[in-house]
Amino acid sequence: MLGLRKENLHHAHLCVGEKEQIKKSVLGFIEKELGINIKSNSDIRIEEFIGFGIDDARRISSSQLKKSISGGKMIFVITLDSITVEAQNSLLKMLEEPTDDTHFFIITTSKDIFLPTLISRVQVVNV
């Protein structure tokens, strides 16, 4: 459904569609295709936001700079309804120079809430 493949996994995906369905698919991909257990795994961050602001972006940017505990991939699954311009500008810096073995799955119902510059730094997956 998502068309994701571990062979060409991008550092950041913007998944657009029905949020719960996409989240379930992303988590299934992480477990089945990447072979990573998501339960009680501190290298997998799953967060949901109604409004994603600058403080949220700063916290995630800081978290992604840390090495994974397992020595493997660090994955962020972020579901959001809205995002401020300030938060997007903060995320831009992180997405321009991604940390090795760190991947983001940003899940939302519309890509229209994002700045064109942010969209240009992610792989958009319309579901």
Side-chain angles (χ1 to χ4, degrees), residues 46-87:
I46 303 167
E47 300 193 47
E48 296 187 25
F49 301 90
I50 293 171
F52 188 91
I54 186 68
D55 292 336
D56 303 313
R58 288 179 179 150
R59 184 177 47 76
I60 286 174
S61 292
S62 175
S63 294
Q64 65 90 32
L65 291 173
K66 300 173 185 167
K67 289 286 183 193
S68 80
I69 293 172
S70 68
K73 295 186 183 314
M74 187 157 211
I75 300 175
F76 293 81
V77 179
I78 302 166
T79 304
L80 55 84
D81 291 326
S82 66
I83 183 168
T84 66
V85 171
E86 295 81 13

Side-chain angles (χ1 to χ4, degrees), residues 7-25:
E7 297 83 25
N8 60 355
L9 189 62
H10 197 269
H11 70 277
H13 296 84
L14 176 61
C15 304
V16 182
E18 201 283 310
K19 292 184 302 184
E20 286 305 313
Q21 176 186 9
I22 295 171
K23 180 179 169 185
K24 183 177 178 181
S25 294

